[in-house]
Amino acid sequence: MKKEDIHWADWHRILIGAAPTEFLLEVLIRTVIMYVVLLIILRLLGKRMGGMLTISELAIMVTLGAIICVPMQIPDRGVVQGIFVLICALVFHQGLSLVGYKSETMEKLIQGKESLIIKNGMIVVKELDKAQITRQQLYAVLRSQGINNLGQVERVYMEGAGLFSVYRFPEPRPGLSVLPPKDDAVQHIHDRPQGIMVCTDCGKVADNETESAGDCSNCNRHNWQPATI
């Protein structure tokens, strides 16, 4: 479109576009066709597309959104081209899945691998940084699992798909509270064992008073508070 063809008061162009008004009916027909084809493609992609997406599945979803836009709205592009590209995306996704099934190395490259975020009630700081999630995001996941204290947690894995797998100790131990500190109404949930300190950055429980007077041996920071259980 030329510069001189653009006018701020041209409401037909702003609302309808450069195509004639009759094209709206064609857009409806194109949308119905592409929607039906997209449903079929998603069905062929498998049940995983309806749940939590992996990296490759998320890429396919973004690609599908970009593909269906053009044949639905641009007058000089036919729907057959869009359908063909959708089929190409389906074949590409199924090919990646087959390669990942055949090769464990390729599976890790495509899907990623799990990260150990919490071990024996302590945050694995390096893995947390690699996963690029904050402590508050991690604490929110634990609270959603009914966990109030890191001392309850034996292992937390962040899976390649972004899901969290949480494993608890049979019996809770002293640890770092994951409850919001400003919410006084829930603080009564915890007991505070006398003289036990915990690192507020990683959840390591101090072995003795001497350790709590210095830096944490797990994260090398000096932030201690009374442990809870």
Side-chain angles (χ1 to χ4, degrees):
M1 179 176 289
K2 297 180 180 179
K3 181 178 179 180
E4 55 268 20
D5 295 332
I6 299 177
H7 306 284
W8 69 269
D10 188 357
W11 292 107
H12 184 278
R13 178 184 57 81
I14 294 173
L15 298 177
I16 307 300
T21 307
E22 292 77 7
F23 181 64
L24 291 178
L25 178 59
E26 187 175 325
V27 168
L28 174 61
I29 297 173
R30 287 167 175 258
T31 301
V32 171
I33 295 173
M34 294 305 299
Y35 183 73
V36 171
V37 173
L38 182 61
L39 286 179
I40 295 172
I41 295 295
L42 289 176
R43 181 67 181 86
L44 295 174
L45 284 171
K47 296 180 179 180
R48 278 284 307 160
M49 299 302 289
M52 181 65 71
L53 303 181
T54 64
I55 294 174
S56 62
E57 290 164 347
L58 180 61
I60 287 293
M61 290 299 294
V62 174
T63 303
L64 294 181
I67 291 171
I68 65 174
C69 178
V70 173
M72 284 194 301
Q73 301 182 44
I74 299 181
D76 58 347
R77 299 292 178 88
V79 295
V80 173
Q81 295 177 6
I83 294 173
F84 176 74
V85 180
L86 283 175
I87 294 173
C88 290
L90 170 64
V91 173
F92 182 70
H93 177 267
Q94 299 296 71
L96 281 180
S97 298
L98 180 61
V99 170
Y101 176 76
K102 297 290 186 179
S103 171
E104 183 177 352
T105 302
M106 288 301 299
E107 181 183 21
K108 290 181 179 179
L109 287 174
I110 297 170
Q111 308 292 356
K113 62 179 182 178
E114 75 285 348
S115 300
L116 179 60
I117 302 296
I118 293 180
K119 180 180 179 181
N120 295 330
M122 293 186 295
I123 296 173
V124 184
V125 179
K126 291 183 179 180
E127 292 298 324
L128 189 71
D129 293 340
K130 288 181 182 178
Q132 296 182 343
I133 61 172
T134 67
R135 286 169 174 77
Q136 292 307 316
Q137 289 174 317
L138 176 61
Y139 296 164
V141 171
L142 296 178
R143 289 194 293 266
S144 70
Q145 299 284 331
I147 293 172
N148 306 319
N149 184 309
L150 288 186
Q152 297 175 257
V153 184
E154 183 177 8
R155 291 285 192 280
V156 172
Y157 295 97
M158 185 178 181
E159 308 293 350
L163 298 171
F164 289 86
S165 299
V166 181
Y167 299 89
R168 305 186 187 208
F169 282 114
E171 296 292 335
R173 309 183 308 175
L176 178 66
S177 172
V178 299
L179 297 177
K182 294 184 179 180
D183 190 355
D184 296 330
V186 298
Q187 300 305 318
H188 68 279
I189 295 176
H190 292 307
D191 292 325
R192 299 186 182 274
Q194 186 68 28
I196 300 179
M197 304 296 288
V198 63
C199 176
T200 59
D201 290 294
C202 69
K204 184 184 186 307
V205 177
D207 297 327
N208 49 55
E209 293 184 4
T210 303
E211 182 178 8
S212 62
D215 294 338
C216 173
S217 60
N218 185 50
C219 66
N220 298 318
R221 297 183 180 179
H222 185 74
N223 296 304
W224 301 92
Q225 70 179 34
T228 60
I229 189 171

